[in-house]
Amino acid sequence: MQKIIRTVALAAAALTVGSALALVPTSAATAAPPVSCSGEALVEKTFDNGTAWQMCWRVDSKKGLTLEQVNVKAPGEDSYRRVLESAYLSQLHVPYDTGKNVWNDITSYGFGNQYLQKLSSAECTTGALKDVAQSWTSTREGVTTTRMRTIPALCVTDTSRDLAYRSHEQSWGSIDDKPLFASSGQGFSLQIVSKVDWYEYATKVEFTDEGAITFDLGATGDVSYEDMDADSTTGWPIGEGQTAYAASHWHNAIWRLDFGLDGQGNQAVEQYDSGLGEQGTRVKLMHTSPKTISNPANLAPVNDLTWWRVVAPDSLNADGHARSYEFVFPGSQLYQGDPVTQPLLTFTNYNACQEYATSNLNPACADRNVIQYVASSADQALTDPVAWVNSGFHHVVRDEDQSPMQTHWQSFSIMPRDWTSQSMSTPDGRSCINGDPGGEIHTDESPCEVVGPEPEPEPSTEPTVEPSPSAEPSSPPAGGGEGATLALGSTKLIRGESFTLSGGGFAAGEDVAVTLHSDPISVGTLKADGVGELSGTLTLPATAPLGAHTLRAVGSDSGRSAEAAVTVSGASGAGALANTGGTIVGGSILGGILLLVVGALLLVKRRRAAVHA
Amino acid sequence: MHFSPNSTKRKALPYVVVGGGVVAAAAIVGGFLAIPAVSGSTGAVASTTEEVAVVTERPALGAARDPLSQDELSYALHLATTDPALPENITSVDGSEAPQVLSVDVTTRDVDASDRFVDVVLYDYTSNRTFMQAVNLTAATVSGSSREGVQPPPSADEVDYAFRVFLADATASAGVRAEYTSVAGGELSSIDQLGVSGGAFSPDASTVGGDVCQVDRCVEMQFRVPGGGYLDTSSFVVDLSNRTVIGIQ
């Protein structure tokens, strides 16, 4: 590898002179998404790590807290990228287990206007209160009068979380002699409170410096005074003895998230499921594979391993991976008594008149709920997804839930997956770690540096630095090998291709398992002959990680082992090179840029080596 | 307003909710709209309540996603309610010849649209239809749609009217009035004596009675005695289209 890089560096240096490079950016430089609000209606926040959010907020008379044009800017990026077109609570469906009541708190009452609550400063102790208008229009004897006022009703609060990450370089016997990378994370939340009959609901949305968004519904106030006549299976006794059984009930909060990932016209929904497969060397393999949700659909998890993401296939991060957001459910209970709350997620294509999950109030739509939305569009390709997210909670009332009821929260998050090539919080000292580093990490540099194995000497070009002797299978066998040995036809292994190996010192006739470390990957098994010697051909799995690794052979009976250092490369050398996130015109120019990049890195490294010398 | 009789308790609380709860509905007393304090929490300051002047010419417009100014709201109401596409015989909850205004909000549709769109939702008690007037303030145009059986939340005005219909029905309201007297003392004679929530009622498979509310505009209400508990309002709804009280189970 090092030889290749050196050659590349020279070629790159030659190419630098007079090269006219045509770099046509794609998603990296798309126009910033619009944000059509001003003043207090615009929330913009930049965190210490450089991540920034912007969005417009309002309080709708029915939908309550409504967020629109939600855009995020990752550290180091020039402009914002759209995440969500809009997000709001599209229904709060509250059926009682006694079968006597079903409430639709969004579409029958609404979370805004007269049911929006004025917040005191004591309810927003570390945040800032923002004013919201309420209006009353009355008509009597043909005369219509409107009155307005504003109340402090939105609390915007900075939040923090310890242990956003931690990575400690630690030597045996010492706790403080190497760098510690640890940080708390930052966020902010927007919250309102709405009072609908007995309950008071907090609607809260939190944004973090790692690009995540959490949607929370908190319920407090009072348990329903009208529903104290349950029995021991449909309720729970509160108050003295067994006289008053408060009815158990549901808070089925169905959020509507209109995705607009990176402003892309083409978005897709994928469902991932995991299952155990064939036997591996130690345990069974587990395979996780996607299924594209091609059409509008109502979805429930197969089991607790199922997850989903919305992905923008044409928006690639610097690693060439499609940007996406995945759903994270800490637990959502799904009410089976009504078809509309059986799905955990419903995906539809954006349709302007589908504004509420159930009892849709937009008269332009004949369909009234998510089941009907899906049924009438089931033959469409799903490319402009709106997610209807059922964050359900079954409330079995406790004595402690009496007035005022302790707030119970129900939440879910969306989290970036491959939005950026590394975490938005990656410290400089870890910035060089992207994929398999394939060498020593110098975290004392800022940004850090990966230093690969020293290259073979090249007399013609490198007179000064004399490398250490080329790598030997030097490390002693870890498993108490009594002189077991391993030799390879070549220490440079290629994914999916076969290689020869031989060895000795194993027990006569025993099976010898060959694995690639450090994450053990089974390569195969050979049988030792009558004198404990080994010879054969194995194929390196196509999934083997690139870079420097150790190949280890272990006798199944004797436990003797031997190791050899190897370097794994891709099937074709170019295949492993990173996509830089732009479209580059002309194949030869592409090669030239890659040469330039690699060459520049190598020059930096040489300079550093010279300093150290 | 009603205050908690037990002022000593307040000191033990981090902050005080005056009146033991929240009075959310607007009250119209003798034809005058009095907006009660919504929450008695200390420290928060609401603006004074102002009557919105009628605006018939396009005012200065905010950005597309900004909340509505008073002038914008009034201009949107003007455009929506004078739209010639509305039925000529449109009536409001009291039967007078005007549309009933349910809500005025900046639209949540098409968030990147550059024009300023406002949804004015109206109800016509003549045809029992909900009208959604999508008003383009920028272009001064209205695009309407309507449907029977779509029942948005009742306005405070309608809740107030429903309460009066309920109280005027001596038989239907006897139980609630008796309960009020036993809890609070005195006669229940005005919505101003209660905290009231009002919701749109549509019958479903679980309700007995109220089938007429599939088409009629019906309101169910919850009453709370400030400083006391809730009153039992589970057995009736008010049919505003017929101005009658309907028993339900």
Side-chain angles (χ1 to χ4, degrees), chain B residues 1-225:
Chain B
M1 291 305 302
H2 300 259
F3 295 90
S4 166
N6 189 348
S7 60
T8 56
K9 269 189 177 174
R10 296 181 187 173
K11 291 170 187 164
L13 295 171
Y15 55 92
V16 179
V17 179
V18 177
V22 172
V23 184
I28 298 172
V29 183
F32 175 76
L33 187 81
I35 299 167
V38 169
S39 164
S41 304
T42 56
V45 180
S47 72
T48 55
T49 302
E50 295 176 12
E51 183 168 333
V52 176
V54 173
V55 175
T56 59
E57 299 290 328
R58 185 170 64 207
L61 300 183
R65 318 300 328 155
D66 281 348
L68 292 172
S69 68
Q70 284 195 11
D71 284 352
E72 288 175 316
L73 183 144
S74 186
Y75 184 54
L77 271 176
H78 166 73
L79 292 176
T81 57
T82 57
D83 175 17
L86 288 176
E88 284 188 13
N89 59 349
I90 195 165
T91 53
S92 56
V93 66
D94 70 347
S96 62
E97 291 177 2
Q100 184 69 37
V101 178
L102 304 188
S103 61
V104 185
D105 287 287
V106 173
T107 179
T108 56
R109 300 181 299 279
D110 302 325
V111 295
D112 290 337
S114 55
D115 284 359
R116 190 122 165 88
F117 284 93
V118 180
D119 288 345
V120 177
V121 181
L122 307 173
Y123 198 79
D124 173 16
Y125 277 92
T126 306
S127 62
N128 263 329
R129 294 176 79 86
T130 293
F131 286 77
M132 198 182 79
Q133 303 285 77
V135 179
N136 182 336
L137 293 184
T138 312
T141 56
V142 179
S143 171
S145 58
S146 74
R147 191 172 291 273
E148 181 185 88
V150 169
Q151 295 294 357
S155 64
D157 187 26
E158 291 173 305
V159 174
D160 178 81
Y161 199 91
F163 184 87
R164 292 207 262 174
V165 169
F166 169 70
L167 208 60
D169 185 330
T171 309
S173 63
V176 166
R177 284 187 289 111
E179 194 180 359
Y180 176 86
T181 302
S182 71
V183 171
E187 286 286 312
L188 177 61
S189 57
S190 160
I191 194 172
D192 199 30
Q193 294 166 266
L194 297 172
V196 176
S197 297
F201 173 80
S202 293
D204 54 39
S206 70
T207 38
V208 179
D211 288 348
V212 67
C213 303
Q214 296 282 11
V215 174
D216 283 0
R217 182 147 175 83
C218 298
V219 171
E220 57 189 328
M221 293 180 285
Q222 293 78 37
F223 301 154
R224 186 171 193 173
V225 180

Side-chain angles (χ1 to χ4, degrees), chain A residues 306-529:
Chain A
T306 304
W307 57 275
W308 292 271
R309 69 168 179 164
V310 179
V311 58
D314 305 321
S315 172
L316 304 180
N317 72 10
D319 281 349
H321 300 148
R323 291 190 175 87
S324 72
Y325 265 78
E326 73 174 277
F327 291 87
V328 180
F329 293 96
S332 181
Q333 296 170 312
L334 303 178
Y335 177 64
Q336 295 299 303
D338 192 318
V340 298
T341 50
Q342 289 168 358
L344 176 62
L345 278 166
T346 296
F347 283 102
T348 57
N349 278 319
Y350 172 78
N351 180 334
C353 74
Q354 295 173 352
E355 299 194 33
Y356 300 87
T358 71
S359 302
N360 187 37
L361 295 177
N362 187 323
C365 251
D367 294 332
R368 300 296 304 279
N369 62 53
V370 289
I371 303 298
Q372 293 172 353
Y373 301 159
V374 168
S376 64
S377 65
D379 58 345
Q380 294 178 1
L382 181 61
T383 57
D384 187 8
V386 171
W388 307 82
V389 189
N390 182 2
S391 178
F393 173 65
H394 184 217
H395 186 197
V396 180
V397 178
R398 309 171 301 156
D399 272 346
E400 290 86 344
D401 289 336
Q402 296 182 83
S403 191
M405 189 188 327
Q406 296 197 325
T407 309
H408 50 84
W409 293 94
Q410 50 200 88
S411 70
F412 72 96
S413 301
I414 60 171
M415 188 168 72
R417 173 175 287 274
D418 303 346
W419 194 261
T420 47
S421 60
Q422 295 166 297
S423 145
M424 292 185 194
S425 297
T426 305
D428 282 350
R430 292 299 201 203
S431 59
C432 61
I433 302 177
N434 190 29
D436 185 338
E440 185 185 348
I441 303 156
H442 285 204
T443 52
D444 51 343
E445 302 289 321
S446 185
C448 74
E449 241 185 16
V450 174
V451 179
E454 287 296 338
E456 301 288 338
E458 267 187 76
S460 60
T461 60
E462 191 60 74
T464 51
V465 178
E466 201 59 47
S468 57
S470 58
E472 290 290 319
S474 55
S475 45
E482 299 168 5
T485 59
L486 183 63
L488 303 175
S490 166
T491 59
K492 294 184 172 64
L493 306 184
I494 299 170
R495 284 173 165 180
E497 295 194 16
S498 59
F499 61 95
T500 60
L501 72 170
S502 58
F506 295 95
E510 74 174 339
D511 285 331
V512 177
V514 180
T515 50
L516 190 69
H517 290 259
S518 57
D519 283 336
I521 291 176
S522 175
V523 178
T525 303
L526 294 172
K527 191 179 271 299
D529 65 14

